[in-house]
Amino acid sequence: MTTSRPLAFPATAILATLAISACGGAESLVNVFRSESAHEEYVHTLKTGGLERTALGRDWIDAANRAIAAPLAAPLPFRETGYFAPQVPAAVGYRFDLRRGRKLVISVNFEAASAARLFVDLFRLDRDADSNAAYRVASLAAGDSTLAYDVRRDGTYLLRIQPELLRGGRWTVVQRTEGTLGFPVPGFGVQAIRSKFGVDREAGRRRHQGIDIFARRGTPVVAVVDGYAAPGTNTLGGNVVWLRDGRRGRSFYYAHLDRWALEAGQAVKAGDTVGYIGTTGNARTTPPHLHFGIYEGGPADPLPFLSPEDPAPGPVRAPVEQLGQLVRVTVVDAVMRAGPTGRSDTLALLARGTVGRVTGASGSSLRIALPEGTAGYLDSRAVVPADRDAPRVALEPGSWLRELPDSAAPLAFLVDAAEEAVILGTFGGFELARLDDGRLGWSVARGGRFERPRGGAFGRRR
């Protein structure tokens, strides 16, 4: 895993600026001058070779930028299988929220016909910035298939996946999180927590700056990291232990102990007993429990640190054999969403007959790219292969077909003799024809074959 400089949008290329750390768990300032990622080095190679001035190079860089500027929703845990066509510069971006104290684990499997590099980069979205900026915080190292990242700040994160130029193939990404600390009471888990972080105390005069873990009096509590443990007493906590993690600059607070397992401050290892659960301090009228707190630039919620790993994401049930293929909507007002679940935001309602290309599959949903480039997820049952039951029509000699479903788009080719074609679907008032020789082109749609999308290219917007 590597770290690097921030990436800001909008931009026509990868911008090299410095990420300045803020208090409250931001990335460390130790590596102010961070190394470039493999993706940034590749962009530099394109520039050096003059490829950024070519249409192909510009398209590749633009695809990288769009993946971060307009990412798809990927609630964790998440699994998706996708396909990159080698001849089309492309990238995909995923957006998800992470909590401080979790470890994000990303595994990627890439299957390509020829040797190819897949760039995988993780960014943190800067919500405080005046501009839409994403800062790279980690990257998959060359030759690795797993990227692990300890989350130091709550926020929205973005994952970008992109192959090198003129390379493609099928890939699968799996994302899930796990806690970064062992539980401080051996044999117990988060089910033993009965009072959470941030709840009111003393009629709202203060907030609970930790969690309460209930267990029998005398139950051992252990160090959650290697560090220096010091026993002490105070009015609220009674018998307490402070455990200092000097490597990460954070402290752990154990309170209401019946007694200590230490006579004085000493170095301890993770798993060493530091005390025993009790009711000292202001807990004398409550059942025995451990108050456990984490302090790193202020109090932090311990629950994300201690919660177990996410369950494994479910299998891909959508038909992956349709990856890279054209499909056609067969229902009225098919819901296109920003993510693969029914809870994801609605992007558009697509009319029957709308055509698009399958670029990914997650759960029971297919990720579809519409002809003008917008991507979203559809229930796989709402589409069929575009050539299934597609009507055949006679094309008149002298008619022109366009490259895109747009009256201003360049002309693709002239039909110079009577030919037949299959109408694969419609988009934006145009229909996509495939000639018997495989050529594809767009012409103005004629009524009776499919329902035209209503309200423009997307159908009805939501």
Side-chain angles (χ1 to χ4, degrees):
M1 184 179 74
T2 60
T3 55
S4 183
R5 301 189 293 266
L7 183 65
F9 291 91
T12 58
I14 305 303
L15 302 180
T17 54
L18 295 176
I20 303 300
S21 164
C23 63
E27 288 74 25
S28 172
L29 274 174
V30 172
N31 296 319
V32 171
F33 298 99
R34 298 174 176 177
S35 61
E36 285 190 329
S37 69
H39 189 281
E40 290 165 336
E41 291 174 352
Y42 190 73
V43 171
H44 180 72
T45 300
L46 295 182
K47 292 180 180 179
T48 302
L51 287 175
E52 69 161 340
R53 295 189 295 274
T54 68
L56 191 64
R58 288 195 304 270
D59 286 350
W60 191 88
I61 292 174
D62 287 346
N65 289 347
R66 284 196 307 272
I68 295 180
L72 297 160
L76 304 183
F78 177 79
R79 180 195 306 271
E80 179 162 298
T81 296
Y83 175 75
F84 289 122
Q87 68 275 19
V88 180
V92 63
Y94 300 108
R95 181 186 74 251
F96 44 88
D97 293 331
L98 293 175
R99 295 289 309 278
R100 178 182 180 183
R102 301 300 286 171
K103 176 184 287 186
L104 174 65
V105 181
I106 302 167
S107 60
V108 181
N109 179 53
F110 185 39
E111 301 174 5
S114 56
R117 179 72 190 275
L118 191 68
F119 303 108
V120 180
D121 297 290
L122 179 67
F123 300 82
R124 175 175 54 79
L125 184 64
D126 186 359
R127 291 176 172 171
D128 299 327
D130 293 334
S131 60
N132 183 20
Y135 293 85
R136 188 175 64 85
V137 295
S139 296
L140 186 68
D144 287 353
S145 60
T146 300
L147 170 64
Y149 174 71
D150 285 353
V151 181
R152 302 291 297 274
R153 179 186 290 186
D154 291 350
T156 299
Y157 289 75
L158 311 173
L159 182 72
R160 182 184 62 200
I161 302 176
Q162 185 175 30
E164 59 185 311
L165 265 175
L166 299 177
R167 293 291 184 270
R170 179 179 293 192
W171 49 270
T172 296
V173 60
V174 177
Q175 300 180 83
R176 58 198 297 193
T177 68
E178 59 188 40
T180 52
L181 296 175
F183 207 72
V185 185
F188 290 76
V190 293
Q191 297 81 3
I193 300 172
R194 298 185 191 173
S195 181
K196 295 184 177 180
F197 181 85
V199 299
D200 287 345
R201 288 288 191 268
E202 297 177 3
R205 288 190 294 272
R206 64 182 180 90
R207 296 292 182 90
H208 196 212
Q209 294 188 352
I211 56 174
D212 291 341
I213 303 167
F214 286 76
R216 287 181 176 272
R217 185 184 302 276
T219 301
V221 300
V222 301
V224 292
V225 295
D226 297 349
Y228 186 85
T233 59
N234 62 57
T235 302
L236 292 179
N239 296 332
V240 304
V241 168
W242 280 99
L243 172 61
R244 178 66 177 171
D245 177 7
R247 184 178 64 88
R248 292 284 294 269
R250 56 185 177 174
S251 297
F252 304 90
Y253 181 57
Y254 301 73
H256 309 315
L257 301 176
D258 186 66
R259 63 190 189 278
W260 303 289
L262 316 165
E263 294 186 0
Q266 65 182 66
V268 295
K269 294 288 187 181
D272 289 350
T273 299
V274 296
Y276 303 89
I277 284 179
T279 56
T280 56
N282 67 351
R284 296 189 183 280
T285 60
T286 68
H289 67 275
L290 168 70
H291 171 92
F292 180 73
I294 300 176
Y295 294 84
E296 186 177 15
D301 185 0
L303 189 58
F305 292 79
L306 303 178
S307 295
E309 67 178 356
D310 297 335
V316 175
R317 299 181 298 278
V320 294
E321 64 272 14
Q322 293 182 5
L323 287 171
Q325 304 300 311
L326 290 171
V327 293
R328 184 179 69 252
V329 173
T330 60
V331 301
V332 176
D333 288 343
V335 180
M336 174 174 269
R337 299 186 181 276
T341 71
R343 298 184 299 276
S344 301
D345 292 340
T346 297
L347 297 177
L349 299 179
L350 303 182
R352 181 184 289 133
T354 302
V355 67
R357 191 174 297 277
V358 178
T359 54
S362 181
S364 60
S365 296
L366 291 172
R367 176 161 50 83
I368 308 293
L370 297 178
E372 44 71 271
T374 297
Y377 292 87
L378 293 176
D379 189 311
S380 61
R381 296 170 295 182
V383 298
V384 296
D387 57 1
R388 180 182 297 178
D389 300 324
R392 290 187 66 85
V393 300
L395 299 179
E396 297 180 1
S399 58
W400 284 91
L401 297 186
R402 297 185 179 275
E403 293 182 0
L404 298 170
D406 188 329
S407 58
L411 299 174
F413 56 87
L414 173 68
V415 178
D416 54 8
E419 293 190 62
E420 287 194 344
V422 173
I423 304 301
L424 301 176
T426 62
F427 190 82
F430 286 76
E431 56 189 20
L432 179 62
R434 185 183 68 196
L435 279 63
D436 290 340
D437 60 9
R439 288 180 295 170
L440 294 171
W442 294 87
S443 62
V444 175
R446 299 185 180 182
R449 286 197 268 268
F450 303 106
E451 292 179 8
R452 294 185 185 182
R454 288 166 290 174
F458 288 88
R460 287 196 286 117
R461 284 278 193 175
R462 289 288 292 271

